[in-house]
Amino acid sequence: MFPNSILGRPPFTPNHQQHNNFFTLSPTVYSHQQLIDAQFNFQNADLSRAVSLQQLTYGNVSPIQTSASPLFRGRKRLSDEKNLPLDGKRQRFHSPHQEPTVVNQIVPLSGERRYSMPPLFHTHYVPDIVRCVPPFREIAFLEPREITLPEAKDKLSQQILELFETCQQQISDLKKKELCRTQLQREIQLLFPQSRLFLVGSSLNGFGTRSSDGDLCLVVKEEPVNQKTEARHILTLVHKHFCTRLSGYIERPQLIRAKVPIVKFRDKVSCVEFDLNVNNIVGIRNTFLLRTYAYLENRVRPLVLVIKKWASHHQINDASRGTLSSYSLVLMVLHYLQTLPEPILPSLQKIYPESFSPAIQLHLVHQAPSNVPPYLSKNESNLGDLLLGFLKYYATEFDWNSQMISVREAKAIPRPDGIEWRNKYICVEEPFDGTNTARAVHEKQKFDMIKDQFLKSWHRLKNKRDLNSILPVRAAVLKR
């Protein structure tokens, strides 16, 4: 159901080379010498092995040039090409990968209020000289099941549905991000041949919008890496590679030395902003847990989207500024839907422990959604009532001082005594590693602002039953 190209998994090998664990990442630890070798690879990459330029066509639009090799741009030779061996120059004209790749046209939205689980991509393997995931040759759309959007019999529910249908991420948006991921993986594998690049976060978990950034996770091994030393060094090499060899295709690359360091950049072809981390494997696991929740019940995605738009409008959806991350907001919505007198969502980790175990190998994580059937809830609340109930729950019912939000347990549980939870204003449990996803809210002023916005918005919406009273819909649509 979730094939390998979107996941950054390795290609299918020839039959005579296959074995049972060929998808498993090598457990080898990158030693100091191997990191030195990676730096050597960066400085002395064999350009004769670089991937040639490909033309990518979106529907009937004129071709767009993307490539993993920045040294071959158009017909004009760059100065660096003068030093290439003869075979390296010939590859430009005789590469087996020169034929254009045509991406299927965007499927238009139907007039009916129906949508399917967005398909992921499938590619057929063509042997490649750099042992990377091959370029797109053929894309097959996989539609596991159709989900009918809920009916909207009142004005507020109608507004929520219209906002959702206008702003939800389209298949074309996901394609652009996947194309960028594929090309970047080729480049990064010149530095770290055994690495894999995964698309994670809102782009893939079902809660993305047209304006969602792309999140990428570079996996160099399945074991944790030291984020302060090893991850920073790896990202330093990647950042340098982006700056020197990919400046024609990537702009504004920045190395952010945070607790979990990232490289931020913008892809010039898709115009998408990306954040790239190293070995944040829990992000891969929770992407598919959230994706399963997203398509488990037809009210989940519209409700999450409108709440994210509301929080962003009121400036309480930015972890870098001491407020709530989008991930924390999604978990808060799921928790609310789990704790209703008649729950709309269950705990997937309780019902299907074998599908969402933190011990599952990465190459099996994508299979989880296909093992879970739709959830049939007896709760018939409409979207408007659920939005109002969400605001009321966190404004008047949830005990911020003593409770922790737990999607894993499908209930509010007592706060742990660990140091990570002390003096924290909001506690949201990460479903896999048990950390606090809302730890960014560390100032009382920001916490009070968040609580105040829940309370004010609840009162306004209860009195007017109009989404514009808490979120200017036209402005939200323009932002997409």
Side-chain angles (χ1 to χ4, degrees):
M1 171 180 171
F2 294 98
N4 72 308
S5 74
I6 196 78
L7 298 174
R9 285 157 48 189
F12 292 100
T13 54
N15 290 334
H16 69 278
Q17 295 180 0
Q18 288 185 6
H19 53 88
N20 291 335
N21 297 319
F22 69 98
F23 274 142
T24 307
L25 291 169
S26 170
T28 307
V29 175
Y30 276 85
S31 65
H32 179 66
Q33 182 58 46
Q34 286 172 308
L35 291 174
I36 293 175
D37 291 342
Q39 191 159 4
F40 179 82
N41 290 340
F42 166 75
Q43 295 170 344
N44 302 280
D46 183 357
L47 296 177
S48 67
R49 295 172 57 206
V51 183
S52 63
L53 276 171
Q54 300 175 58
Q55 285 188 324
L56 301 174
T57 307
Y58 290 92
N60 297 323
V61 182
S62 58
I64 302 172
Q65 296 288 344
T66 64
S67 172
S69 174
L71 297 179
F72 305 138
R73 300 196 195 112
R75 300 193 178 194
K76 184 178 179 180
R77 296 194 179 199
L78 302 183
S79 58
D80 290 343
E81 189 180 346
K82 297 176 182 178
N83 299 323
L84 287 176
L86 183 60
D87 290 343
K89 296 180 181 179
R90 283 178 178 170
Q91 184 182 2
R92 176 180 178 186
F93 303 101
H94 303 292
S95 169
H97 300 299
Q98 277 193 336
E99 59 272 356
T101 302
V102 179
V103 179
N104 291 355
Q105 274 191 297
I106 301 168
V107 180
L109 292 174
S110 63
E112 301 178 13
R113 292 195 181 282
R114 288 153 59 88
Y115 64 97
S116 300
M117 180 179 289
L120 302 184
F121 307 109
H122 178 71
T123 60
H124 293 289
Y125 173 61
V126 178
D128 187 78
I129 53 177
V130 291
R131 297 173 294 162
C132 299
V133 174
F136 284 152
R137 300 281 174 181
E138 179 180 330
I139 295 179
F141 288 97
L142 306 178
E143 298 184 355
R145 63 174 180 260
E146 282 192 339
I147 303 177
T148 304
L149 282 173
E151 293 184 3
K153 296 181 180 179
D154 62 295
K155 177 183 177 180
L156 180 56
S157 297
Q158 180 71 30
Q159 289 173 318
I160 295 171
L161 275 181
E162 289 177 355
L163 181 66
F164 171 72
E165 289 186 302
T166 304
C167 297
Q168 66 170 320
Q169 178 178 259
Q170 302 296 312
I171 293 172
S172 58
D173 303 321
L174 184 56
K175 281 182 186 177
K176 292 175 183 178
K177 294 173 184 177
E178 165 60 11
L179 288 171
C180 183
R181 184 209 63 80
T182 303
Q183 298 296 334
L184 286 178
Q185 176 166 269
R186 292 177 177 277
E187 277 295 327
I188 293 173
Q189 284 181 328
L190 295 176
L191 302 177
F192 302 98
Q194 301 303 315
S195 65
R196 294 290 177 264
L197 194 60
F198 290 74
L199 186 63
V200 296
S202 61
S203 298
L204 198 57
N205 66 20
F207 298 117
T209 65
R210 299 299 309 268
S211 59
S212 292
D213 293 345
D215 294 302
L216 297 167
C217 177
L218 175 62
V219 179
V220 295
K221 59 184 180 181
E222 287 214 29
E223 292 78 16
V225 302
N226 186 311
Q227 293 293 325
K228 288 185 178 180
T229 56
E230 191 174 4
R232 284 188 183 183
H233 185 64
I234 291 169
L235 286 178
T236 298
L237 295 178
V238 171
H239 176 256
K240 187 176 181 182
H241 192 72
F242 285 0
C243 290
T244 57
R245 297 187 185 276
L246 299 182
S247 58
Y249 309 96
I250 287 176
E251 62 182 5
R252 302 197 300 267
Q254 293 178 284
L255 177 59
I256 310 296
R257 293 176 173 85
K259 182 177 181 181
V260 176
I262 59 172
V263 170
K264 295 179 72 73
F265 62 93
R266 181 177 181 270
D267 173 41
K268 290 184 179 179
V269 176
S270 65
C271 297
V272 174
E273 301 276 349
F274 285 91
D275 291 347
L276 187 154
N277 68 69
V278 172
N279 265 64
N280 186 24
I281 290 175
V282 70
I284 301 172
R285 299 188 187 281
N286 64 45
T287 291
F288 287 97
L289 174 65
L290 263 57
R291 184 176 177 84
T292 311
Y293 277 118
Y295 295 98
L296 200 60
E297 219 282 340
N298 65 359
R299 288 166 286 186
V300 177
R301 294 179 69 218
L303 187 62
V304 166
L305 185 142
V306 73
I307 289 169
K308 287 173 65 176
K309 291 287 186 182
W310 163 80
S312 179
H313 173 71
H314 292 286
Q315 300 181 338
I316 58 171
N317 179 205
D318 189 346
S320 68
R321 297 180 180 272
T323 58
L324 294 163
S325 67
S326 292
Y327 182 40
S328 293
L329 277 169
V330 173
L331 292 177
M332 289 170 70
V333 178
L334 299 181
H335 166 76
Y336 162 69
L337 296 176
Q338 290 174 328
T339 55
L340 291 168
E342 191 63 61
I344 288 178
L345 292 176
S347 167
L348 290 175
Q349 288 164 290
K350 280 188 172 182
I351 300 177
Y352 304 99
E354 69 288 345
S355 296
F356 298 101
S357 167
I360 293 178
Q361 290 183 315
L362 286 183
H363 68 281
L364 300 175
V365 169
H366 71 285
Q367 297 176 2
S370 63
N371 299 329
V372 179
Y375 183 73
L376 302 177
S377 171
K378 295 179 182 179
N379 189 318
E380 297 181 354
S381 299
N382 60 44
L383 286 170
D385 290 338
L386 291 175
L387 175 58
L388 193 59
F390 170 81
L391 296 172
K392 179 184 178 183
Y393 177 74
Y394 288 109
T396 67
E397 298 173 18
F398 184 78
D399 186 352
W400 299 100
N401 294 323
S402 63
Q403 291 182 322
M404 174 174 70
I405 294 165
S406 176
V407 170
R408 177 181 56 86
E409 292 288 341
K411 62 182 181 182
I413 61 177
R415 285 193 183 202
D417 293 328
I419 189 170
E420 183 177 2
W421 306 95
R422 281 184 215 144
N423 303 320
K424 293 296 185 291
Y425 295 101
I426 300 179
C427 293
V428 181
E429 180 192 49
E430 207 293 320
F432 287 101
D433 66 15
T435 57
N436 183 11
T437 69
R439 59 185 173 271
V441 186
H442 56 81
E443 296 179 9
K444 190 175 186 305
Q445 178 189 2
K446 296 296 177 67
F447 174 57
D448 289 341
M449 182 176 72
I450 293 169
K451 284 198 307 178
D452 186 56
Q453 200 50 245
F454 272 102
L455 188 61
K456 286 181 178 178
S457 293
W458 171 53
H459 283 303
R460 286 180 194 147
L461 193 62
K462 181 177 63 171
N463 293 331
K464 297 189 177 180
R465 298 288 297 191
D466 183 346
L467 187 57
N468 284 290
S469 66
I470 64 169
L471 171 66
V473 176
R474 185 181 297 273
V477 167
L478 289 176
K479 288 185 178 180
R480 308 283 278 206

